[in-house]
């Protein structure tokens, strides 16, 4: 009997959150309407925003089509909301959390969410995150640059301690920290340059720093790195070369499969084992079907590990919808 299949990497914006972005007069903000709606961002070039892509009913239909029982969504850290000054971040975060909580309730729990933190707060958002965890959010998403340096780990310590104490997982997605300098890609570069080149570099910085320092400091905290931690499986040999010894990856470190195809998955499985890879599709940014077909081609053992058993470990489930 098939167990619950859970996708740990999707994004879904409630109407109230989009409206809150539209009320702003500087990035990150939304302007225009309907099919002409666009995002203006501070850390990367903006682009079109499709409200239909964030329709909850449409999302449930996509889950059904992919035979995905539940999805855990997050705010999308590249937008930079968590890195805004506290007075600017708070109303946006409230709109996101309140809207997603309502969507989750209407979905019968098939759509759940990682909370987001106001990193500019004196406690790096720990108090607000604790409240959201009590309300039913499954864990926390953080932008990768917040964890990319020892100083960043120190700054985020209050929220990381709160998360570990609650026994909830951390999702690390490419994105800026409050101290990241805005440097959008040159307009001569294609639109895909930032997600292809900048996101992986951000992710790798966080992954290497966490593996060197964070995992030991928070030994029971389960951490999922998006987009295969920026290509970490390919660099595992380099890790061992410069680290000076072979080191088994920490059992509490997981990498998600967003944008992977079969060769990428085979490399990740060879580098870290089937137990550390989890399903992440990055809907609505990426069409999930190539990834789902690749997983199916790798056979039922891999498919069950990646989509069922490992997400259950991340979320500390005993079975059933999160």
């Amino acid at each position: 009997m098939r167990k619950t299949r859970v996708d740990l990497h999707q994004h879904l914006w409630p109407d109230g959150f989009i409206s809150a972005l539209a009320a702003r007069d500087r990035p990150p903000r939304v302007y225009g309407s309907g099919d002409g709606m666009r995002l203006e961002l501070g850390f990367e070039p903006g682009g079109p925003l499709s409200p239909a892509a964030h329709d909850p009913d449409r999302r449930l239909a996509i889950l059904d089509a992919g035979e995905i029982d539940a999805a855990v969504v997050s705010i999308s850290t590249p937008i930079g909301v968590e890195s805004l000054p506290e007075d600017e971040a708070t109303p946006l975060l409230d709109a996101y959390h309140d809207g997603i909580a309502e969507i989750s309730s209407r979905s019968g729990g098939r759509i759940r969410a990682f909370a987001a933190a106001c990193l500019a707060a004196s406690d790096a958002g720990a108090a607000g995150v604790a409240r959201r965890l009590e309300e039913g959010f499954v864990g926390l998403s953080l932008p990768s640059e917040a964890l990319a340096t020892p100083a960043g780990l120190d700054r985020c310590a209050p929220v990381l301690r709160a998360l570990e104490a609650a026994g909830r997982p951390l999702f690390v997605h490419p994105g800026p920290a409050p101290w990241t300098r805005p440097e959008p890609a040159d307009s001569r570069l294609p639109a895909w340059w930032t997600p292809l080149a900048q996101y992986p570099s951000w992710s790798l910085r966080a992954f290497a720093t966490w593996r060197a320092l964070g995992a030991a400091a928070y030994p029971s905290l389960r951490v999922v790195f998006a987009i295969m931690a920026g290509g970490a499986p390919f660099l595992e040999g380099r890790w061992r070369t410069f680290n000076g010894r072979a080191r088994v990856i920490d059992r509490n470190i997981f990498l998600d499969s967003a944008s992977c195809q079969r060769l990428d998955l085979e490399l990740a499985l060879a580098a870290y084992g089937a137990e550390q890879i989890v399903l992440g599709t990055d809907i609505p940014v990426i069409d999930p079907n190539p990834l789902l077909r690749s997983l199916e081609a790798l056979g039922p053992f891999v498919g069950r590990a990646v989509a069922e058993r490992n997400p259950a470990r991340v979320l500390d489930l005993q079975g059933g919808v999160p």
Side-chain angles (χ1 to χ4, degrees), residues 207-218:
F207 178 73
T209 302
W210 187 264
R211 208 169 169 194
L213 299 174
Y218 303 94

Side-chain angles (χ1 to χ4, degrees), residues 207 224-225 228-229 232-233 249 253-257 272 276-278:
F207 178 73
V224 177
F225 287 87
M228 285 294 169
I249 192 169
I253 292 177
F254 300 83
L255 292 82
D256 91 20
S257 60
Y272 299 127
Q276 307 311 125
I277 311 303
V278 297

Side-chain angles (χ1 to χ4, degrees), residues 18 55 64 69 80 97 139 172 176 204 224 228-229 239 241 272 285 297:
I18 295 175
D55 177 74
D64 290 339
D69 299 292
H97 288 129
V172 182
L204 279 167
V224 177
M228 285 294 169
W239 166 271
T241 295
Y272 299 127
V285 179

Side-chain angles (χ1 to χ4, degrees), residues 85-100:
E86 188 171 5
D87 62 332
E88 295 185 47
T90 297
L92 294 172
L93 293 173
D94 286 345
Y96 176 77
H97 288 129
D98 294 346
I100 282 295

Side-chain angles (χ1 to χ4, degrees), residues 188-238:
R188 292 170 293 180
L189 290 166
W192 47 257
W193 183 90
T194 296
L196 179 66
Q198 181 166 288
Y199 287 8
S201 66
W202 277 353
S203 295
L204 279 167
R205 280 164 49 86
F207 178 73
T209 302
W210 187 264
R211 208 169 169 194
L213 299 174
Y218 303 94
S220 65
L221 182 56
R222 302 181 301 283
V223 185
V224 177
F225 287 87
I227 60 169
M228 285 294 169
F234 180 78
L235 295 172
E236 183 60 20
R238 192 168 178 85

Side-chain angles (χ1 to χ4, degrees), residues 16-287:
F17 179 65
I18 295 175
S19 296
L21 287 170
R24 290 177 54 82
D25 60 3
R26 53 187 167 181
R29 72 183 187 105
V30 168
Y31 62 96
S33 60
D35 293 338
M37 190 172 288
R38 296 186 64 83
L39 273 169
E40 182 182 2
L41 305 175
F43 295 89
E44 62 182 271
L49 172 65
S50 169
H54 295 276
D55 177 74
D57 292 333
R58 179 176 177 180
R59 184 62 55 87
L60 290 173
I62 293 172
L63 297 187
D64 290 339
E67 297 186 323
I68 298 170
D69 299 292
V72 183
V73 303
S74 57
I75 196 172
S76 189
T77 57
I79 305 304
V81 170
E82 302 97 322
S83 299
L84 290 170
E86 188 171 5
D87 62 332
E88 295 185 47
T90 297
L92 294 172
L93 293 173
D94 286 345
Y96 176 77
H97 288 129
D98 294 346
I100 282 295
E102 182 179 349
I103 288 171
S104 177
S105 177
R106 293 204 312 265
S107 75
R110 291 189 69 193
I111 296 173
R112 300 291 295 277
F114 290 110
C118 178
L119 293 175
S122 59
D123 64 350
V129 168
R131 176 166 57 89
R132 295 301 180 178
L133 295 179
E134 291 177 356
E135 293 172 357
F137 285 77
V138 303
L140 172 69
S141 72
L142 281 179
S144 54
E145 283 292 274
L147 304 174
T149 63
L153 286 174
D154 292 343
R155 180 70 183 84
C156 292
V159 73
L160 295 173
R161 286 195 296 265
L163 194 63
E164 185 178 38
R168 303 298 183 86
L170 172 65
F171 178 54
V172 182
H173 189 287
W179 48 88
T180 303
R181 185 170 64 180
E183 287 185 315
D186 190 296
S187 60
R188 292 170 293 180
L189 290 166
W192 47 257
W193 183 90
T194 296
L196 179 66
Q198 181 166 288
Y199 287 8
S201 66
W202 277 353
S203 295
L204 279 167
R205 280 164 49 86
F207 178 73
T209 302
W210 187 264
R211 208 169 169 194
L213 299 174
Y218 303 94
S220 65
L221 182 56
R222 302 181 301 283
V223 185
V224 177
F225 287 87
I227 60 169
M228 285 294 169
F234 180 78
L235 295 172
E236 183 60 20
R238 192 168 178 85
W239 166 271
R240 296 178 182 183
T241 295
F242 285 94
N243 183 268
R245 66 184 188 279
R247 179 179 172 187
V248 176
I249 192 169
D250 189 287
R251 287 277 295 170
N252 284 328
I253 292 177
F254 300 83
L255 292 82
D256 91 20
S257 60
S259 78
C260 286
Q261 298 183 17
R262 179 164 180 167
L263 287 176
D264 310 316
L265 292 167
E266 288 177 343
L267 176 59
L269 294 167
Y272 299 127
E275 296 79 12
Q276 307 311 125
I277 311 303
V278 297
L279 177 62
T281 61
D282 204 3
I283 295 170
V285 179
I286 296 174
D287 176 2

